[in-house]
Amino acid sequence: MAFLGRSNVGKSSLLNALCHAPGLARVSSLPGRTRLLSFFRVDGRFYLADLPGYGYARVPEPQRRSWKALVDSYLVGREPLVLCVFLVDARHDPMASDEQLRDFLDHHALPYVVAATKADKVGRGEAGRRTRSLREAFAPGARDVLAVSAVTGTGTPQLWRQVLAAAELKVSGRSETPTEPARVEGTSPSHRERRSHAS
Ligand code: GTP
Ligand code: MG
């Protein structure tokens, strides 16, 4: 499961919100914060991958190119990637770099859902309108388009259900979102510390 989208769109925040684990993935108001791939193992069953954002103009070109190579090589030519969560900002039309990513995912037939995030920053009516127009913009590739917010939790149960369905986990007998992050294992010692807190 990979979280994709422009720098600062809220990938790390949404990953944390889905796992009910604030502080798991590093969030920053400065775009370009996530520089490497980080993996979080959920329930010992699958991994969430927090990826660096793309399209952040102030990152030097060579670095942008190396991120792109990193992300592309992560996404393509591997079996276990069951779903990409493609984040776009609920407040704006998709940008050229979003369209490039969409075309890339479509070209490689990678499964994805679109999460229109920061939905708390627009009214409910506006979020609905944007979701509908995004459905058109991302058809037929996207499996779904959901308005979400990492701040209020809007849409996260629906997104989590998609994640679980894609991972072919049984939803029955489980709450719609995990009430706790269960066993979320990070890639750095600080994440391991947090895990021992959580468990
Ligand atoms: P990079 O790692 O730099 O690519 O960024 P990112 O996509 O991981 O974004 P990150 O989660 O670090 O969030 C960027 C900023 O947006 C932070 O200031 C977050 O607090 C804010 N943010 C993220 N999600 C939401 C949301 O749903 N609502 C609101 N209001 N703010 C959000
Ligand atoms: Mg990030």
Side-chain angles (χ1 to χ4, degrees):
M1 206 83 38
F3 289 75
L4 302 169
R6 295 173 55 79
S7 285
N8 216 42
V9 75
K11 298 174 292 297
S12 302
S13 302
L14 186 59
L15 186 154
N16 292 342
L18 283 173
C19 293
H20 294 269
L24 182 68
R26 189 147 171 220
V27 168
S28 171
S29 55
L30 299 174
R33 176 52 59 201
T34 305
R35 291 171 182 227
L36 296 168
L37 310 186
S38 316
F39 298 93
F40 304 95
R41 198 147 84 111
V42 177
D43 276 348
R45 297 187 199 216
F46 57 87
Y47 289 89
L48 303 180
D50 188 23
L51 304 180
Y54 55 83
Y56 178 49
R58 281 166 66 190
V59 171
E61 182 59 30
Q63 173 148 45
R64 259 199 288 170
R65 245 183 281 132
S66 89
W67 284 358
K68 188 170 183 315
L70 187 69
V71 171
D72 290 1
S73 69
Y74 171 73
L75 291 174
V76 176
R78 55 196 297 289
E79 207 52 65
L81 185 63
V82 290
L83 187 68
C84 299
V85 179
F86 181 171
L87 285 83
V88 295
D89 194 314
R91 295 167 296 178
H92 310 297
D93 285 329
M95 300 187 190
S97 53
D98 294 318
E99 289 167 354
Q100 272 167 20
L101 178 61
R102 176 198 62 197
D103 295 345
F104 178 88
L105 296 174
D106 288 343
H107 176 76
H108 292 284
L110 290 162
Y112 63 97
V113 293
V114 173
T117 195
K118 307 194 185 182
D120 56 286
K121 294 200 174 186
V122 300
R124 216 179 310 140
E126 177 64 8
R129 271 192 295 281
R130 301 225 57 102
T131 307
R132 281 190 293 279
S133 86
L134 287 168
R135 282 215 169 92
E136 279 171 32
F138 287 90
R143 291 189 176 181
D144 205 350
V145 177
L146 299 167
V148 301
S149 166
V151 170
T152 63
T154 299
T156 57
Q158 290 84 345
L159 180 57
W160 190 244
R161 263 205 299 272
Q162 296 266 358
V163 168
L164 291 182
E168 292 177 333
L169 295 176
K170 275 179 35 199
V171 180
S172 56
R174 293 177 59 104
S175 55
E176 287 174 355
T177 50
T179 48
E180 52 180 1
R183 289 180 300 282
V184 179
E185 301 169 31
T187 47
S188 70
S190 62
H191 294 128
R192 278 196 285 277
E193 278 161 33
R194 285 197 196 95
R195 184 194 52 182
S196 59
H197 274 306
S199 53

